[in-house]
Every structure is written in C-alpha cells, then in structure tokens.
Amino acid sequence: MALNKDDVQNIAHLARLAIDEADIPAYAQNLSNILALVEQMSAVDTSGVAPMAHPLEMAQRLREDVVSEENLREHFQQHAPAVENGLYLVPKVIE
Amino acid sequence: MMEWETVIGCEIHTQLATKSKIFSGAATAYGAEPNTQACAVDLGLPGVLPVLNKEAVRMALMFGLAVNAEIGKRSVFARKNYFYPDLPKGYQISQFELPIVGKGELSIELEDGQTKVVGITRAHLEEDAGKSLHEDFHGMTGIDLNRAGTPLLEIVSDPDMRSGKEASAYMRKIHALVTYLGICDGNLQEGSFRCDVNVSVRPKGQAEFGTRAEIKNLNSFRFVEKAVEYEVARQIAIIESGGKVIQETRLFDADKGETRSMRSKEEANDYRYFPDPDLLPVIVEDALIEQLRQGLPELPDAKKARFIEAFGLPAYDAAFLTGSRAMADYFEQVVESANCEAKMAANWVMGELSAALNRAELGIEQSPIGASQLAGLIARIADNTISGKIAKEVFEAMWSGEGDADQVIEKKGLKQITDSGAIEAIVDEVLANNAQQVENYRNAEPDKRGKMIGFFVGQIMKASQGKANPGQVNQLLKSKLDN
C-alpha cells in the first residue's frame, strides 16, 4: 500500500506536525516503505495467535486507592508560559 | 404520512468514587482550587508512569456483575489520540478492543408498567480530561487539570431505546444502579454522571439504521428526554423535506430546548488507538470476581421485589421508593422507627415529603426532616395523638425547623381531643346552636342522612380547631341524632 500526498498531509495534521511541501514525496516514500515491510509480515499465518498487548509476559500491578500526592502547583507552574488564578493559559480553543 | 421509528443508544460516563485518580495518587475531591490536585502524571510530564488504581478496577467489576455482564478477565488499556489543551498527554488512556466489562443487560420500567431489557454493549475504564474555561483570560483559555485522570467507567448501551422517555428511564436506572453499588456519587450537577445519546430515525419496519447524530454531555434526565424529542423532530423534518441527516456531534441548549451542531468543520474521528505500552494487561482472577459478587449490595430490582413482598406495597410505590438508594434507606428507616403500617410511611414519603423536597429542589439526602423525625410524626398519627389533617400542619412546622413532632404538637396545642366528655360537650353545643339542621336531619329519609351528617362533623371540627378525634365525633353524633 503506497501513501499519496494527501495521506501524508493528513498524518502530519493528526500529529500536529508542520512539514515542508517539498519534503512530502520523500515522506510518502519512507512511510510507504514501512507499510511494505508490515505487509511482508501478512504472509505469516497468525490465525490462533492472540494479538500482543505488551512485550512483557506480565500482568498489570495495581496500587491501593490512597492519596499520595501533595499540591505542587507553584512548582509545576514555574514551567508554564502563562498562568492566571492558578489556571494554565493556552491559546483560545473555541471561536 | 410516513411513520417513523426512533433509535437511541446511550454512552454514560460515570466518575468512579475513588479517593485518588485512576493512574496517579492525586486526590479526586470535587471543588478544589484549580490545579492543586494535578500531579506530574496528570500533567503528562515526561518520564512519568501510570499505575492503575485497584479500587477503580473493583468498581468496574462490580458494575459488570450487577448487569450480568461477561467479565473481561484480560483487559487492555489503549491510547486514544487527539489534541485538546485539557488533555495534556495528547492521548486519553482508555480501553478499546478488550474492555473490562463485556456484554450485559439491564431491565428498565416503561410508563405503562411494562419492563424492557436494554442490552449493555460494554463498559470500559478510562481517565477523564481536565476542564477548559473559556471566559475571558485576555483572549486565552484557562485550563484546570484537577479533573484530569479521574477514573471514569464509560457504559455503552445497545441501540435498544425507542423514545426519549425510554432513554431517560435507562439513564435513571443506570444512575440508581451505580449509586446503589456505591461506585459513583451520582452527582449530576458536578458532572459525576453524564450521558451522550446517539439518535437516529428510520421508517417504521426498516431494518437498517438511519444516520445518527450524537448529543453530548447531557447531565439531567429531563434534558435527555427533551434533547431526543427535539432531535427526532429535526431529523424527520430534514428527511421529509428531501434532505439528508449528517452524522455529527451536537450540543443541547437547555435554555432554548434545542440541539445545535458542535463543530463547523466536522473531521472524521481518527483516534489511532493502540495498546498503551506504559500499562500491562489487567488480569482479573476468578477469586476476586467471586469475592465481589458475594459483597454486592441489594440492587434496585431485588429491593423493589422485597418492598412489594415484605411490606405489601403496590408496585408503583415500590418502584418510586427504590428509585434511589438514599430514598429506599430513608423509607426503611421511617417504617422501622415509626413502627407503623408500611403503606402509611410510603404515603408520607411519597406525598408530603417528596412534594416539599421538589418545591425546595432538594434531594432526600438534604431533607430538613430526617427519617427518624418523620417517623416521630407518623407515630403520633398512628397512636391517635393527632389526626392526619393536623399532621400536615405539624409537618409544615417541622419543615421550617420548629422542632420535632412532639415539640410542635405541644407548643401549638395540637393534641387531638380524645376525652369523650370534652368531645360530647362540643357536640352538644353544636347541636344546640343548629336546632333547625337537627330537625331537618331527623325528618330526612335515612339514605339522605349520611350526607347531612357531614355538616355537623364540619362544625364540630371547626369548633375544636380540628383537634376532636373524627372517629369519636362520628360515633357520638350518630347516637345523639338518631335517637
């Protein structure tokens, strides 16, 4: 399966990546190569093989329901470009 | 005229009542100062690892058991990828192919008293997002991440509902169930329980579904009904005028009672789910399932059956009283402490009390008259201290905080007169003052007398300020008038 220019632009948009128009053919080629590699694996009969959810053959460990984190807001907000009244400020997301 | 059928499926997000978040040890308490309950994991800072909360898993399993669902003994968390500022990681940890709760079912009651079984497609664990505040922050949006990472159980129904009323009955039933189980506080105003409804219409008899619209974030049972009604009318109008319904997300405007499109440019959702490499598969042992099954509380349907069986209540009363766990507990406490007929307690809880609570827009949990206080009032009716009519006056006084029933009765001198000498004196006085009516009565045909006696009862109750025991008054009157 080969990706075209629209596919590349859509993938870039979903990942919020700004890409140069001039680079698109190269991206399309590289991404298509990856898909081709995956396609080769389709030749293997995987019926009866459960899809792998995680490479480790282990079960998730659970933690007790205990509040262990204290309020470190001032500390975290030092890294934020803009804060006000304890809120993180971001560019407006609705018109 | 074409006949249309409405098809509705619901997705209900219930916040699980854990103390800490689903993947971090930050608190989940509602109403804290912004971002004071958002730790490094909730903020999606680099290098953090989510660790699953045991209680969230147990709560999800309890729900699964309560709807007789297949339990996902191996469930997997997946990343649902999208960008929004209240989702700092750029993905929501959810479950996709292997949810913790599989296919189950739930029966709902319809208006005509029939029950209907609604299929539960699945229920999965996921984390809630933060909140975006769009008020004016110099043209910017404020983000509060306290809610980010709060555990949610998303309960997805089959498209089995056929009207707004059925959808709201389903939502109420799920609400009752999760609050009975104690896995969700059920607080609709605080957003602990929110419903998305998928609505479509099709010509009656057609097998395939019409194109659906999803109405998001309904946080009231009434809104669900209204939103569906509006949406059905909108879709039928589009189709009948030759148009096509487009698949989209819509919001319900409660003030205008209408739904409107949420996005101008609708992009096809492409969440690119994949298993979250930070989390291992969750394995549920049979022993845990058995332990949780044993510990399940009495659920609404079982409680309703018991109220009918043990208390001899009509089905309507039993359904009303088991509508919420708080209501059912209140009622049982009244019956127990008043030591009265269950039907009498039911009448007071469903009548005066519920009416007063509705007027004051209070839940039964916030009732200014507690169960033992109401029981105290009912006990005074049962032992003839006051009449049912006077009891309403006492109730009003109790409601406005004038004390418990005995205090009010004492203070206002409302105690029923049962002393036969005292009642006889009033009866004699009333008869003496109404000689003409007494004569009319005696001259009347026996079958007319029944009606005429009401006049005297009224006068006597008036003269005694409602305090004369009505049974004794009737008896005395009859013996005096008929001789």
Side-chain angles (χ1 to χ4, degrees):
Chain A
M1 181 185 155
L3 296 177
N4 62 28
K5 186 180 160 191
D6 286 347
D7 295 326
V8 172
Q9 275 172 330
N10 186 38
I11 292 166
H13 171 69
L14 287 170
R16 299 297 187 271
L17 292 174
I19 53 173
D20 268 334
E21 184 84 20
D23 293 334
I24 292 178
Y27 285 130
Q29 186 58 52
N30 289 340
L31 290 170
S32 297
N33 288 346
I34 294 170
L35 292 181
L37 180 71
V38 174
E39 254 164 41
Q40 279 181 35
M41 290 191 260
S42 312
V44 182
D45 179 10
T46 54
S47 55
V49 179
M52 186 177 71
H54 201 279
L56 297 179
E57 285 286 324
M58 288 166 68
Q60 176 66 35
R61 284 187 50 185
L62 307 178
R63 42 168 264 278
E64 296 297 324
D65 180 26
V66 175
V67 176
S68 57
E69 298 295 323
E70 55 192 50
N71 172 22
L72 295 174
R73 184 175 76 181
E74 306 317 318
H75 174 66
F76 290 135
Q77 293 200 332
Q78 283 172 16
H79 309 283
V83 293
E84 189 173 311
N85 298 337
L87 297 164
Y88 294 94
L89 295 190
V90 300
K92 203 165 184 112
V93 282
I94 54 167
E95 303 85 48
Chain B
M1 201 62 182
M2 172 91 77
E3 233 193 296
W4 297 94
E5 183 179 52
T6 304
V7 176
I8 304 162
C10 295
E11 292 165 19
I12 296 179
H13 290 86
T14 57
Q15 277 185 5
L16 297 176
T18 55
K19 296 186 196 72
S20 65
K21 297 202 173 159
I22 183 168
F23 297 119
S24 83
T28 55
Y30 180 81
E33 283 289 299
N35 292 306
T36 55
Q37 294 177 168
C39 72
V41 173
D42 309 324
L43 296 180
L45 294 184
V48 296
L49 257 194
V51 188
L52 183 58
N53 185 333
K54 184 191 273 179
E55 203 52 37
V57 172
R58 292 170 63 97
M59 287 175 170
L61 293 172
M62 283 167 73
F63 175 80
L65 292 169
V67 296
N68 272 320
E70 294 163 20
I71 298 298
K73 293 187 181 172
R74 179 174 176 274
S75 67
V76 171
F77 282 99
R79 293 184 178 181
K80 177 179 180 178
N81 299 280
Y82 66 93
F83 284 102
Y84 205 75
D86 57 24
L87 185 78
K89 297 192 298 299
Y91 58 87
Q92 178 193 28
I93 305 179
S94 181
Q95 295 189 308
F96 188 52
E97 282 171 336
L98 296 167
I100 189 152
V101 174
K103 212 153 178 39
E105 60 182 37
L106 182 72
S107 65
I108 59 170
E109 255 124 68
L110 307 182
E111 276 197 320
D112 59 4
Q114 302 276 350
T115 59
K116 171 172 183 163
V117 174
V118 175
I120 305 281
T121 314
R122 58 184 277 161
H124 60 259
L125 281 167
E126 61 184 25
E127 57 181 345
D128 209 342
K131 271 185 192 162
S132 303
L133 302 159
H134 301 295
E135 294 102 78
D136 195 25
F137 293 101
H138 335 289
M140 298 183 89
T141 292
I143 305 290
D144 176 7
L145 295 170
N146 280 350
R147 197 180 65 179
T150 299
L152 295 177
L153 185 68
E154 177 175 337
I155 303 160
V156 183
S157 85
D158 291 344
D160 286 349
M161 277 114 356
R162 293 291 174 269
S163 69
K165 283 208 159 57
E166 287 187 21
S168 81
Y170 169 79
M171 186 176 167
R172 280 174 208 275
K173 192 63 181 279
I174 293 278
H175 186 266
L177 201 58
V178 295
T179 50
Y180 268 68
L181 289 166
I183 63 174
C184 173
D185 68 17
N187 192 321
L188 294 141
Q189 285 78 36
E190 292 176 4
S192 303
F193 189 92
R194 344 191 259 272
C195 190
D196 302 343
V197 288
N198 287 291
V199 183
S200 64
V201 297
R202 63 181 170 188
K204 203 154 189 141
Q206 180 183 302
E208 76 188 271
F209 294 136
T211 305
R212 66 172 193 266
E214 182 179 23
I215 311 165
K216 280 250 186 232
N217 270 331
L218 295 161
N219 67 346
S220 128
F221 305 122
R222 216 159 31 89
F223 290 172
V224 165
E225 226 173 290
K226 290 201 160 161
V228 169
E229 272 166 29
Y230 177 89
E231 186 57 23
V232 166
R234 186 187 74 89
Q235 292 185 12
I236 291 173
I238 289 175
I239 300 169
E240 287 187 340
S241 61
K244 267 192 171 159
V245 174
I246 43 171
Q247 188 171 332
E248 62 178 348
T249 306
R250 299 178 71 84
L251 282 179
F252 179 64
D253 182 330
D255 296 328
K256 294 191 180 136
E258 58 186 43
T259 66
R260 57 186 156 77
S261 190
M262 198 168 149
R263 293 186 195 112
S264 40
K265 309 173 279 186
E266 182 78 7
E267 288 170 26
N269 288 333
D270 189 349
Y271 294 125
R272 296 149 294 144
Y273 283 95
F274 64 90
D276 191 326
D278 286 345
L279 288 154
L280 291 151
V282 180
I283 307 296
V284 179
E285 307 286 348
D286 288 339
L288 175 62
I289 295 173
E290 227 14 73
Q291 183 204 335
L292 291 170
R293 195 194 302 277
Q294 299 299 331
L296 285 184
E298 185 182 37
L299 296 175
D301 289 344
K303 204 180 273 286
K304 183 183 157 204
R306 180 168 63 80
F307 278 18
I308 293 171
E309 181 78 9
F311 293 134
L313 290 177
Y316 176 84
D317 294 20
F320 184 98
L321 293 167
T322 54
S324 81
R325 189 172 173 176
M327 174 77 78
D329 290 349
Y330 187 102
F331 167 73
E332 285 205 87
Q333 211 191 320
V334 172
V335 175
E336 200 177 305
S337 11
N339 199 16
C340 64
E341 291 271 324
K343 180 62 183 157
M344 193 172 180
N347 289 346
W348 274 90
V349 172
M350 296 167 61
E352 295 297 309
L353 181 70
S354 292
L357 289 170
N358 283 343
R359 275 196 300 273
E361 292 182 8
L362 292 175
I364 198 156
E365 303 89 335
Q366 294 117 31
S367 173
I369 301 181
S372 57
Q373 281 180 295
L374 185 64
L377 173 63
I378 295 171
R380 293 291 88 83
I381 309 166
D383 70 8
N384 272 327
T385 306
I386 52 172
S387 65
K389 205 173 160 209
I390 291 285
K392 293 188 178 169
E393 196 182 326
V394 178
F395 180 89
E396 293 301 325
M398 290 168 72
W399 183 269
S400 33
E402 294 177 38
D404 64 23
D406 287 335
Q407 288 168 329
V408 172
I409 293 166
E410 180 66 39
K411 203 160 56 186
K412 296 194 176 235
L414 295 172
K415 198 163 183 229
Q416 186 160 240
I417 304 168
T418 51
D419 171 34
S420 51
I423 294 178
E424 191 167 5
I426 301 170
V427 171
D428 286 343
E429 192 193 322
V430 167
L431 293 184
N433 292 341
N434 295 282
Q436 184 58 48
Q437 278 84 353
V438 173
E439 203 186 317
N440 292 349
Y441 178 91
R442 288 187 171 138
N443 291 334
E445 298 294 320
D447 62 323
K448 298 242 168 88
R449 287 180 171 183
K451 243 185 179 169
M452 295 171 80
I453 206 165
F455 166 76
F456 299 105
V457 175
Q459 293 296 311
I460 292 161
M461 294 314 280
K462 205 168 146 193
S464 73
Q465 293 164 311
K467 291 186 284 187
N469 178 288
Q472 281 174 284
V473 167
N474 265 305
Q475 222 176 6
L476 261 170
L477 261 178
K478 275 204 183 116
S479 72
K480 283 184 185 282
L481 285 169
D482 291 348
N483 289 325

